[in-house]
Amino acid sequence: MSETAELTRLYSALEESAAVLNVPFSGATVQPVLTAYGDVVPHAMIAFRVTSAESDEGELDCRILFRKEVDPYAVALSEGFVPASGHPVDELLSNIRERCPIDSYGIDFGLVGGFKKIWAFFPEDDFQPLSTLVEMPSMPRSLAANVEFFARYGLDDRVGLVGIDYHDRTVNVYFGKLPGECLDPDAVRSMHREIGVAEPSEQMLKLCEQSFGIYFTLNWDSPTIERISFSAITPDPLSLPVRFGPRIERFVENFRHGADNPKMVHAAVKSTGEEYYKIQAYYRWRPRTVNLTSDDSAEVSA
């Protein structure tokens, strides 16, 4: 299939999924991103993401994951998707690239919100230590401020990828191949208490026990950890002991692309106490693109 045909097919799938969720669809928002990254789309792993969070009720996100031949930040900057603001977020991907091996990249954009994030994935056999990340001059100081917290749970040498949100100016740091004790309900409750977030419900704790990865959200304006989220993978999210709500259920039931592919589930509690879930369904699944699962699992993104 030609590059043009691939982009047309993806565009149509996004438009169709938007209709299922009653999300406004604008070609003026979607087409520039697809065109800018058109060279990587035919060979990329592509996923659609929807969340139960009230603040994101009118949004549908698309994630495109690809090998490192294309510089995602250079493209985003040249196309005006991100500004050259003088904020440390401008330099973070460059800092990561200078100090860490990069296996692949990813981008996120919303059908409503437009371009949002860039991801840097480390090789599956080369997780990075926090000591390397905290030395980066553009990394939020909140990461260094919480090194002891991560070390207590055995996470300090297990960083699999970093996500940079240029819209909200936040950073997601993902940890994989977790020590088993991290997923114990008491440990999960303890982590939430330590960062000052409401404890998860019993249904979320059951999901956490099946997680393969944890990620934390930090920013440049506070020394505290903003959010903790647990990630699990399943072929059938609706079989999990969780009530996702009608919006996610409608999405899962009507998503006709990659029906046999696994689905990703992320669970988190906001600082307000709102517990929410994200579902990531794969439009196109590509094994061995990223590196957060255990050795005997298919490899997926978080």
Side-chain angles (χ1 to χ4, degrees):
M1 186 179 293
S2 69
E3 178 184 310
T4 300
E6 286 276 9
L7 293 178
T8 300
R9 182 169 173 263
L10 176 55
Y11 183 97
S12 297
L14 288 167
E15 189 172 24
E16 173 190 288
S17 296
V20 168
L21 295 169
N22 296 318
V23 170
F25 183 89
S26 170
T29 300
V30 174
Q31 191 63 60
V33 180
L34 296 185
T35 301
Y37 293 93
D39 290 346
V40 303
V41 166
H43 308 290
M45 184 164 77
I46 300 172
F48 297 178
R49 294 161 59 89
V50 63
T51 174
S52 65
E54 292 182 5
S55 59
D56 292 321
E57 186 172 340
E59 182 66 288
L60 173 67
D61 289 326
C62 178
R63 175 169 294 179
I64 301 175
L65 304 176
F66 48 92
R67 291 297 180 184
K68 62 182 180 180
E69 287 73 17
V70 173
D71 181 340
Y73 182 73
V75 173
L77 192 63
S78 67
E79 296 293 333
F81 300 151
V82 298
S85 64
H87 188 276
V89 72
D90 298 351
E91 303 297 329
L92 184 52
L93 185 62
S94 176
N95 282 183
I96 293 171
R97 192 160 40 222
E98 291 167 356
R99 294 164 173 79
C100 301
I102 304 296
D103 178 72
S104 52
Y105 291 116
I107 63 164
D108 281 3
F109 66 94
L111 303 194
V112 176
F115 192 92
K116 296 180 179 179
K117 298 178 183 177
I118 290 177
W119 306 89
F121 295 85
F122 306 136
E124 62 177 313
D125 58 351
D126 198 6
F127 279 22
Q128 297 297 293
L130 280 177
S131 58
T132 298
L133 273 65
V134 299
E135 293 175 355
M136 298 177 186
S138 58
M139 184 66 69
R141 294 301 91 196
S142 50
L143 186 64
N146 289 282
V147 164
E148 291 184 4
F149 166 82
F150 296 119
R152 278 199 301 278
Y153 293 97
L155 300 174
D156 48 325
D157 60 350
R158 299 170 186 262
V159 182
L161 64 143
V162 176
I164 307 167
D165 188 319
Y166 293 88
H167 182 268
D168 292 337
R169 290 181 175 174
T170 59
V171 175
N172 287 347
V173 180
Y174 288 72
F175 300 84
K177 296 186 178 177
L178 305 173
E181 55 270 23
C182 272
L183 304 179
D184 180 83
D186 288 339
V188 173
R189 292 189 188 97
S190 176
M191 280 190 275
H192 281 76
R193 284 195 300 268
E194 285 197 58
I195 67 173
V197 177
E199 292 186 18
S201 67
E202 290 301 317
Q203 71 168 13
M204 182 174 159
L205 287 171
K206 291 179 180 178
L207 178 63
C208 291
E209 289 181 326
Q210 303 178 41
S211 296
F212 65 86
I214 303 175
Y215 71 87
F216 297 84
T217 303
L218 308 104
N219 63 57
W220 281 268
D221 299 324
S222 169
T224 61
I225 295 171
E226 184 175 306
R227 179 180 58 172
I228 175 175
S229 181
F230 290 78
S231 303
I233 185 169
T234 175
D236 181 13
L238 300 185
S239 69
L240 295 172
V242 174
R243 294 300 300 269
F244 294 111
R247 187 166 184 267
I248 284 182
E249 291 171 5
R250 186 166 69 250
F251 174 69
V252 172
E253 290 168 351
N254 291 279
F255 188 79
R256 66 182 182 85
H257 306 278
D260 296 330
N261 292 338
K263 309 293 188 295
M264 190 74 61
V265 180
H266 306 287
V269 181
K270 290 190 172 185
S271 57
T272 60
E274 179 192 4
E275 187 170 294
Y276 70 100
Y277 300 90
K278 292 181 182 179
I279 297 290
Q280 178 167 302
Y282 290 88
Y283 167 85
R284 182 191 296 133
W285 169 256
R286 282 288 184 270
R288 303 193 65 79
T289 298
V290 296
N291 62 358
L292 282 187
T293 57
S294 61
D295 294 335
D296 58 354
S297 300
E299 294 174 7
V300 296
S301 71

